[in-house]
């Protein structure tokens, strides 16, 4: 796929400007004026007055994540005073009952309890409910009328963010309806229009392309915000600061010093009453295609020229292309697994096939590990081992940069040689960064032992980090797409995962092949052992 | 010596306290605090929580001239222990003409910020001294500072910034924290001293008076986010700031004017306006318009003071920008900004913006050629010293916006005596 062209601000835009530029002359077009009063303001910019139209407002995602995130943004004065939430759902609620339901959810899922009564009171006043069947065209006509009335009454100035927290199968329908009634148009002085789409973006490359095409018929790419909530996590954002805000690590961030990289997204929980969803998804589509490949991109990307959304995303896409340029061999570079019964956290747990809403003969994978290679100048020959699974012994998400051994082992005769250096970036839990290095053991002998320098967020910054959804929703309201995935990123990622999933579909697996509470199938160990390496122990 | 091991989540607990009468004794107590500690504590009656070792991410030196001020500052610092564990040195010097004496209390406070977070402990050293000892602030603070960690000096009240003791102490500091809105008189002479300090050193300055106005700056900046209004930004012709006074005469020097002058300083620095005429009392018809009535603003109705305020003239290189800073009698704390009015003219068209304080919000209204074109509210609840101090600490190195605003404010104030 062709890389999207990003035109520099001062690039010639007309034939006349092009001729002048070729002649080495400047056009008389005035330089764009900037709002210099914005420069250096430390306070987070308050988004423009706006309405968030929340589709799927009665669903689990809205109640667990989206609405609590909005409440916290409101509580901390980060939303505009002229902000409204228009909740859309199929169930017959009035405003009052819907608000009562949200309050109950906040009391359960809010990261800070008890609720701030005053903040809640002023927040709930801004929430209204509209019953709407997504297939009902007249309902969308009513939505237009309702939004116009909100603009008039609440000063939201025509700025609208459509948040699709629905089943993925409804995305195209809703976007199509929004286009039909003209809610996508950003006409002069009519305010901005943005659409936020939750993952998964398709279930394979073809469906992702189809969805992107349907969305592109209505919205421009710059209006589309595809959420992968991992990108909003504080530690993931810190990865960019760590890499590009420190001078000492980037020179060591390449094939010359790095032996291999391991990225683990381990979950101790099972499928949590999401059997139907998980049966249609599996670990490859649920985590590998998005979270894991996003982490790989962030670790492996070249420094972007600026921190602008497209500059950042251009570099991430290049990594994904470099992976897909040398396609994986599903037989040797990827391993799948499914948990059987076992023990987790001292409790017996059922196997995947015994979970509710799961086929007793299910072939859905709950574990996937892969050996990726990035075919570019920086990473050629450095394997990236990635793994994710359900019902593993503990919850842990970590990026580990394993450095090479020293070229000459000077201390080999003195006790045990130290391990090679390791840099581990813990994303959850105990967010932090650990660097392992060798140190002399005190005493007369020259024993060398591995020790760690450990930075934990909890000790250095004893503050509550915002939830990923708070970060991402605020960014979307401010029009900053840096932490959202672009259409071409999504498609490139599917291009990596599709061949694996398709190959697996051809032969029945030998499932279950790992016990709940263990670190996955034996085949996963072979991926690393074959290269003379091993998975990190947690 | 105290060793209280019961801990409540979020509340700092005194875990150690000892007296000392010299710097050497303080150092020895600091070493003892951590060497003999039982590393478990009781939480909600349950024993066994692991106590993390001492944590310091910075040194904090508080210079408080009154004991109650010292206690208040120490309490503020303790509230920040969980967030920014620091070694805090509170210096309270008294009776400079009396005999020299030195007394100190060394304390360790611990806090468990969250249920799942490790306990964090930090030391506070309260030094009280009299006579000549109290004049040599640097000689007290320097040996007690944890080296390689940044040093922040918080100087509540009136810091004698031009004096030798302050200069010596600040020579070893990275940041100075003050609240210029509490300074005596109009506060502007000291503001110039602070600007001089910033010009001649690498010191970063955090002024609560400026930090408190961040929501105002956000509100004013938001006007020009609108592409229709942005072209007017470089054509500003008038800035009028109205502030509250309790003095019916509104005479220059009767009320602290740092906050209103900071508004002008910030705008001037961002728009690169130069000073043509510094602030001087308005006489005769001066800069024209009477301030718009601020009905409904914080503290209820207001009425103009007798004084017409002070005025200055700035320039954007093409045209002049008139500045008026005017008092009105109001029940709000003296020196509080009540209104900022902007007038911009461009190609025969006019943009007028009116930004006012209303209870806990900042209210923005904009008229284009007399037609109301925008109205917004920004929530701006009053921030505590803990919030302000946290923001000051977290702002990293020198904040170019703060430096620019201070530098421009000092230039607008002009040479001492010009306003009288």
């Amino acid at each position: 796929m062709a890389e999207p062209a990003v035109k520099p601000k001062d690039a010639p835009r007309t034939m006349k400007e092009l001729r002048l530029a070729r002649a080495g002359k400047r056009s008389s077009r005035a330089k764009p004026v900037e709002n210099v009063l914005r420069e250096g303001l430390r306070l987070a910019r308050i988004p423009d007055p706006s309405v968030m139209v929340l589709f799927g407002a009665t669903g689990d995602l809205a109640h667990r994540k989206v609405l609590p995130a909005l409440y916290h943004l409101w509580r901390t004065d980060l939303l505009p005073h002229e902000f409204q939430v228009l909740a859309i759902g199929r169930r017959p609620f009035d405003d009052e009952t819907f608000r009562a339901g949200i309050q109950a959810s906040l009391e359960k899922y809010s990261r800070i309890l008890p609720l701030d009564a005053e903040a809640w009171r002023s927040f709930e006043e801004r929430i209204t409910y509209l019953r709407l069947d997504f297939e009902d065209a007249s309902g969308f006509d009513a939505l237009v009328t309702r939004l116009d009335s909100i603009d008039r009454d609440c000063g939201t100035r025509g700025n609208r963010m459509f948040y699709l927290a629905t089943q993925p199968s409804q995305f195209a329908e809703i976007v199509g309806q929004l286009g039909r009634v003209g809610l996508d148009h950003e006409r002069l002085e009519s305010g901005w229009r943005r659409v936020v789409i939750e993952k998964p973006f398709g279930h394979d490359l073809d469906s992702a392309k189809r969805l992107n095409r349907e969305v592109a018929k209505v919205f421009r790419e710059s209006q589309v915000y595809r959420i992968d909530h991992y990108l909003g996590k504080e530690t993931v954002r810190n990865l960019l600061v760590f890499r590009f805000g420190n001078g000492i690590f980037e020179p060591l961030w390449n094939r010359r010093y790095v032996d291999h990289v391991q990225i683990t997204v381990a979950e101790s929980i099972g499928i949590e009453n999401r059997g139907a969803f998980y049966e249609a998804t599996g670990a490859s589509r649920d985590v590998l295609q998005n979270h894991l490949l996003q982490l790989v991109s962030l670790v492996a990307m070249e420094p972007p020229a600026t921190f602008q959304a497209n500059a950042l995303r251009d570099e991430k896409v290049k990594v994904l292309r470099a992976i897909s340029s040398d396609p994986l061999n599903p037989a040797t570079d990827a391993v799948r697994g499914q948990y059987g019964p076992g023990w987790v956290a001292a409790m017996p747990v059922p196997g995947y096939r015994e979970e509710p809403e799961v086929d007793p003969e299910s072939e859905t994978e709950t574990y996937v590990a892969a050996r990726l290679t990035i075919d570019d100048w920086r990473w050629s020959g450095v394997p990236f081992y990635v793994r994710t699974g359900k019902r593993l012994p503990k919850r842990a998400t970590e990026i580990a940069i394993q450095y090479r051994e020293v070229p000459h082992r000077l201390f080999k005769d003195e006790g045990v040689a130290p391990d090679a250096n390791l840099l581990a970036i813990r994303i959850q839990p105990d967010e932090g960064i650990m660097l392992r290095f060798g140190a002399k053991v005190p005493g007369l002998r020259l024993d060398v032992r591995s020790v760690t320098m450990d930075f934990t967020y909890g000790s250095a910054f004893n503050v509550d980090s915002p939830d990923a959804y708070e970060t991402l929703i605020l960014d979307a309201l401010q029009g900053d797409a840096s932490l959202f995935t672009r259409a071409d990123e999504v498609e490139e990622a599917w291009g990596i995962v599709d061949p694996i999933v398709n190959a697996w579909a051809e032969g029945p697996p030998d499932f279950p092949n790992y016990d709940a509470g263990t670190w996955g199938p034996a085949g996963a160990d072979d991926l690393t052992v074959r290269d003379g390496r091993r998975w990190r122990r947690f | 010596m105290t060793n209280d091991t019961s801990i409540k989540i979020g509340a700092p607990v005194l875990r150690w306290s000892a007296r000392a009468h010299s710097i050497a004794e303080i150092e020895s107590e600091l070493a003892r605090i951590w060497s003999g500690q039982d590393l478990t504590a009781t939480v909600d009656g349950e024993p066994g929580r692991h106590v993390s070792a001492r944590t310091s991410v910075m040194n904090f030196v508080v210079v408080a001239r009154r004991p109650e001020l010292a206690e208040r500052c120490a309490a503020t610092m303790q509230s920040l222990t969980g967030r920014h564990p620091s070694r805090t040195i509170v210096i309270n010097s008294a009776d400079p003409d009396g005999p020299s004496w030195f007394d100190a209390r060394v304390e360790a406070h611990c806090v468990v910020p969250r249920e799942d977070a490790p306990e964090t402990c930090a030391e506070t050293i309260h030094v009280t001294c009299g006579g000549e000892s109290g004049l040599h602030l640097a000689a007290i603070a320097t040996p007690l500072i944890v080296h390689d960690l940044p040093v922040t000096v918080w100087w509540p009240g009136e810091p004698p910034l031009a004096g030798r003791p302050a200069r010596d102490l600040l020579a070893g500091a990275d940041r100075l924290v003050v609240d210029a809105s509490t300074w005596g008189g109009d506060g502007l002479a000291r503001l110039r001293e602070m600007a001089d300090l910033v010009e001649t050193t690498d010191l970063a300055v955090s002024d609560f008076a400026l930090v408190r106005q961040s929501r105002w700056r956000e509100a004013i900046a938001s006007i020009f986010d609108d592409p229709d209004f942005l072209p007017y930004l470089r054509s500003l012709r008038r800035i009028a700031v109205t502030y509250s006074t309790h003095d019916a005469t509104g005479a220059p020097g009767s009320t602290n004017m740092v906050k209103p002058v900071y508004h002008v300083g910030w705008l001037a620095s961002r728009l690169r306006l130069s000073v043509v005429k510094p602030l001087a009392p308005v006489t005769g018809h001066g800069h024209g318009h009477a301030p718009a009535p601020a009905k409904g603003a914080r503290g209820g109705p207001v009425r103009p003071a007798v004084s017409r305020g002070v005025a200055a003239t700035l320039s954007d290189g093409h045209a002049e920008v008139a500045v008026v800073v005017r008092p009105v009698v109001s029940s709000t704390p003296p020196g509080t900004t009540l209104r900022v009015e902007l007038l911009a003219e461009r190609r025969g068209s006019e943009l007028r913006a009116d930004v006012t304080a209303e209870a806990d919000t900042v209210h923005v209204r904009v008229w284009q050629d007399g037609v109301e074109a925008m109205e917004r509210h920004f929530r701006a609840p009053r921030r505590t010293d803990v919030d302000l101090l946290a923001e000051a600490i977290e702002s990293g190195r020198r904040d170019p916006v703060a430096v620019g605003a201070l530098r421009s404010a000092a230039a607008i104030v002009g040479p001492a005596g010009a306003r009288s």
Side-chain angles (χ1 to χ4, degrees):
Chain A
M1 180 199 271
E3 199 173 322
V6 179
K7 198 176 260 187
K9 271 185 185 170
D10 54 354
R13 292 179 199 173
T14 62
M15 287 306 290
K16 182 184 169 192
E17 286 177 3
L18 194 62
R19 279 198 300 274
L20 286 168
R22 282 181 181 155
K25 295 174 185 168
R26 296 182 67 83
S27 88
S28 57
R29 175 157 54 91
K31 275 175 69 176
V33 186
E34 286 178 10
N35 183 359
V36 290
L37 299 184
R38 278 265 164 239
E39 286 173 9
L41 288 191
R42 282 188 43 78
L43 213 57
R45 183 188 151 196
I46 304 296
D48 299 329
S50 46
V51 189
M52 183 199 267
V53 183
L54 178 58
F55 290 93
T58 57
D60 198 47
L61 176 68
H63 280 248
R64 273 175 185 260
K65 293 290 180 186
V66 180
L67 288 163
L70 286 171
Y71 161 74
H72 282 293
L73 290 172
W74 177 258
R75 192 184 61 85
T76 47
D77 297 329
L78 290 170
L79 291 180
H81 188 270
E82 300 82 2
F83 182 74
Q84 294 286 312
V85 178
L86 179 57
I88 309 280
R90 295 176 180 197
R91 295 185 208 166
F93 288 120
D94 57 24
D95 291 347
E96 212 161 297
T97 34
F98 182 72
R99 289 169 185 166
I102 298 172
Q103 188 175 8
S105 296
L106 289 181
E107 276 158 4
K108 207 166 158 190
Y109 302 120
S110 170
R111 65 183 172 83
I112 297 174
L113 289 170
L115 294 186
D116 177 336
E118 197 184 328
W120 164 248
R121 187 188 48 73
S122 56
F123 180 58
E124 73 167 343
E125 286 170 1
R126 286 166 167 78
I127 302 171
T128 49
Y129 183 81
L130 177 67
R131 186 180 180 189
L132 175 64
D133 191 331
F134 305 146
E135 282 118 39
D136 173 16
S138 64
F140 280 81
D141 295 328
L143 174 63
V144 176
T145 312
R146 181 73 166 265
L147 286 171
D148 288 343
S149 128
I150 290 175
D151 281 340
R152 268 195 313 277
D153 299 342
C154 308
T156 44
R157 305 177 71 192
N159 298 317
R160 289 151 192 183
M161 186 161 99
F162 303 101
Y163 195 116
L164 311 191
T166 62
Q167 293 294 325
S169 56
Q170 293 163 328
F171 292 166
E173 175 71 38
I174 295 170
V175 167
Q177 292 279 19
L178 291 173
R180 188 187 62 75
V181 295
L183 282 172
D184 55 315
H185 288 249
E186 290 182 325
R187 295 185 202 91
L188 192 63
E189 294 183 349
S190 73
W192 48 254
R193 307 290 152 84
R194 294 172 194 148
V195 62
V196 180
I197 303 178
E198 275 286 344
K199 83 169 185 75
F201 319 112
H203 59 272
D204 56 18
L205 180 58
D206 284 345
S207 60
K209 280 183 172 170
R210 253 195 325 274
L211 178 59
N212 280 338
R213 266 200 307 274
E214 292 301 316
V215 172
K217 280 181 195 167
V218 177
F219 291 98
R220 282 175 284 112
E221 181 62 28
S222 61
Q223 292 176 281
V224 183
Y225 294 74
R226 295 175 191 80
I227 277 193
D228 179 339
H229 73 268
Y230 251 60
L231 295 182
K233 284 182 182 287
E234 198 73 13
T235 339
V236 174
R237 295 167 72 205
N238 185 45
L239 182 58
L240 294 172
V241 176
F242 182 78
R243 280 195 62 192
F244 306 126
N246 292 292
I248 60 171
F249 298 110
E250 195 55 24
L252 310 177
W253 209 267
N254 55 55
R255 64 186 302 278
R256 188 164 174 198
Y257 299 100
V258 175
D259 179 75
H260 71 279
V261 176
Q262 290 188 21
I263 303 180
T264 301
V265 177
E267 295 179 274
S268 58
I269 57 170
I271 51 171
E272 305 272 281
N273 300 319
R274 294 193 310 153
F277 164 79
Y278 207 83
E279 276 286 271
T281 312
S284 309
R285 293 185 174 99
D286 192 33
V287 180
L288 173 63
Q289 186 272 342
N290 36 73
H291 303 330
L292 267 173
L293 288 178
Q294 284 294 329
L295 292 180
V296 171
S297 306
L298 291 170
V299 171
M301 67 190 253
E302 293 297 322
T306 68
F307 208 59
Q308 300 292 315
N310 271 333
L312 193 67
R313 298 191 293 186
D314 285 346
E315 297 304 334
K316 282 163 61 192
V317 171
K318 285 180 197 166
V319 173
L320 297 174
R321 284 192 194 125
I323 295 172
S324 56
S325 68
D326 184 13
L328 294 184
N329 179 344
T332 56
D333 294 331
V335 172
R336 59 177 159 167
Q338 187 192 79
Y339 63 85
W343 285 74
V344 177
M347 296 287 288
V349 296
Y352 176 73
R353 289 174 174 178
E354 288 88 58
E355 300 272 15
E357 297 181 39
V358 170
D359 180 352
E361 301 295 316
S362 173
E363 296 182 0
T364 302
E365 79 283 357
T366 60
Y367 178 98
V368 60
R371 179 186 186 279
L372 307 175
T373 52
I374 300 172
D375 197 13
D376 68 9
W377 192 275
R378 184 187 284 255
W379 295 111
S380 180
V382 178
F384 278 60
Y385 301 101
V386 298
R387 60 176 166 168
T388 180
K390 296 274 187 195
R391 286 284 188 225
L392 301 184
K394 65 196 281 193
R395 170 174 167 255
T397 300
E398 186 203 75
I399 298 162
I401 314 291
Q402 178 64 62
Y403 285 93
R404 292 181 185 280
E405 300 271 354
V406 289
H408 173 59
R409 296 176 65 173
L410 198 59
F411 310 113
K412 58 191 171 191
D413 297 332
E414 302 284 346
V416 181
D419 296 325
N421 298 120
L422 176 94
L423 182 72
I425 299 163
R426 292 188 304 271
I427 291 168
Q428 61 186 16
D430 297 331
E431 294 90 337
I433 296 169
M434 182 273 283
L435 178 66
R436 186 177 70 198
F437 60 101
K440 182 188 171 299
V441 179
L444 299 177
R445 288 168 52 84
L446 194 60
D447 287 339
V448 181
R449 189 168 299 164
S450 290
V451 293
T452 60
M453 282 201 286
D454 209 339
F455 154 74
T456 51
Y457 262 80
S459 304
F461 305 105
N462 268 324
V463 287
D464 284 313
S465 296
D467 181 76
Y469 275 85
E470 292 168 43
T471 302
L472 294 171
I473 290 172
L474 188 62
D475 279 1
L477 285 168
Q478 290 172 332
D480 179 357
S482 310
L483 299 176
F484 295 83
T485 42
R486 209 168 51 189
D488 52 349
E489 266 183 283
V490 171
E491 292 178 12
E492 289 294 344
W494 277 120
I496 295 165
V497 172
D498 254 15
I500 305 174
V501 177
N502 291 342
W504 285 344
E506 285 169 13
D510 183 19
F511 282 169
N513 59 352
Y514 72 98
D515 292 342
T518 66
W519 281 106
D525 291 336
D526 297 341
L527 274 184
T528 51
V529 170
R530 203 171 53 221
D531 294 343
R533 301 175 177 112
R534 59 187 167 85
W535 288 109
R536 266 172 60 67
R537 203 178 55 229
F538 286 90
Chain B
M1 181 177 82
T2 307
N3 194 353
D4 179 357
T5 57
S6 61
I7 291 172
K8 292 279 178 201
I9 303 297
V13 170
L14 180 66
R15 295 278 307 277
W16 181 281
S17 179
R19 300 302 289 250
H21 301 284
S22 67
I23 296 289
E25 280 182 35
I26 294 172
E27 286 172 337
S28 136
E29 282 303 324
L30 287 171
R32 281 181 60 205
I33 287 180
W34 306 110
S35 61
Q37 281 293 289
D38 175 8
L39 293 183
T40 57
T42 307
V43 181
D44 295 334
E46 294 294 318
R49 172 179 283 276
H50 178 73
V51 178
S52 68
R54 178 199 72 202
T55 314
S56 291
V57 296
M58 68 172 58
N59 297 284
F60 228 96
V61 180
V62 181
V63 185
R65 295 296 186 187
R66 298 192 310 274
E68 69 277 11
L69 203 54
E71 290 302 322
R72 188 164 62 85
C73 293
T76 302
M77 287 307 305
Q78 280 153 26
S79 303
L80 279 174
T81 297
R83 187 166 179 162
H84 297 287
S86 309
R87 174 173 287 185
T88 305
I89 304 157
V90 184
I91 305 173
N92 173 212
S93 53
D95 189 16
D97 300 323
S100 277
W101 55 276
F102 185 99
D103 185 36
R105 195 170 78 243
V106 182
E107 295 177 343
H109 288 89
C110 298
V111 65
V112 178
R114 293 186 310 273
E115 188 64 58
D116 58 343
E119 185 182 55
T120 305
C121 300
E123 308 127 330
T124 307
I125 304 159
H126 299 262
V127 176
T128 316
C129 47
E132 201 176 348
S133 323
L135 297 177
H136 298 278
L137 299 170
I140 297 167
T142 308
L144 298 176
I145 279 167
V146 183
H147 66 269
D148 281 341
L149 292 181
V151 179
T152 294
V153 174
W154 182 14
W155 205 310
E158 307 260 348
L161 296 173
R164 174 77 190 273
R167 292 274 170 166
D168 285 350
L169 178 66
L170 295 172
D174 300 285
R175 176 174 296 276
L176 170 67
V177 179
V178 296
D179 185 353
S181 65
T182 63
W183 294 347
D186 60 16
L188 299 181
R190 207 178 291 281
L191 195 72
R192 277 192 60 92
E193 287 178 9
M194 191 159 75
D196 287 345
L197 189 68
V198 168
E199 294 298 344
T200 54
T201 66
D202 292 332
L203 195 68
V205 170
S206 297
D207 185 347
F208 287 176
L210 186 65
V211 178
R212 278 199 194 96
Q213 293 177 331
S214 50
R215 195 55 89 204
W216 281 82
R217 289 190 287 277
E218 160 70 19
I220 294 169
S222 77
I223 297 168
F224 300 99
D225 287 338
D226 188 317
D228 285 347
F229 305 153
L230 184 56
Y232 291 93
L233 184 57
R234 295 291 188 184
S235 310
L236 213 56
R237 294 294 159 257
R238 185 168 184 271
I239 304 168
V241 185
T242 308
Y243 66 98
S244 69
T245 180
H246 290 183
D247 173 23
T249 69
S254 65
T255 303
N256 185 293
M257 285 172 56
V258 168
K259 285 196 203 170
V261 169
Y262 264 147
H263 283 298
V264 183
W266 170 63
L267 285 165
S269 67
R270 298 334 292 167
L271 298 172
R272 300 186 194 287
L273 305 178
S274 58
V275 178
V276 178
K277 284 184 207 159
L279 285 177
V282 176
T283 53
H285 292 289
H287 279 285
H289 317 283
K295 196 180 172 189
R298 274 182 189 154
V302 297
R303 59 190 167 87
V306 173
S307 164
R308 296 172 63 86
V310 290
T313 306
L314 309 179
S315 169
D316 63 9
H318 301 290
E320 292 190 341
V321 181
V323 172
V324 187
V325 180
R326 198 162 357 221
V328 292
V329 178
S330 158
S331 59
T332 54
T336 304
T337 307
L338 299 175
R339 178 187 296 264
V340 176
E341 295 163 89
L342 304 178
L343 174 71
E345 291 168 345
R346 183 175 179 270
R347 297 178 183 171
S349 171
E350 177 189 281
L351 187 84
R352 195 156 59 82
D354 187 5
V355 185
T356 51
E358 290 180 7
D360 275 353
T361 61
V362 177
H363 184 191
V364 180
R365 293 176 79 188
V366 179
W367 295 264
Q368 193 173 21
D369 297 323
V371 178
E372 184 162 339
M374 176 182 168
E375 182 173 13
R376 282 192 73 176
H377 290 82
F378 291 80
R379 291 177 72 198
R382 186 164 177 85
R383 300 164 76 191
T384 64
D385 280 3
V386 176
D387 298 334
L388 295 168
L389 203 54
E391 181 168 337
I393 293 168
E394 287 160 13
S395 59
R397 293 180 191 167
R398 273 188 169 200
D399 173 6
V401 173
V403 171
L406 175 60
R407 189 178 283 151
S408 291
I412 293 162
V413 167
R419 296 170 315 283
S420 54

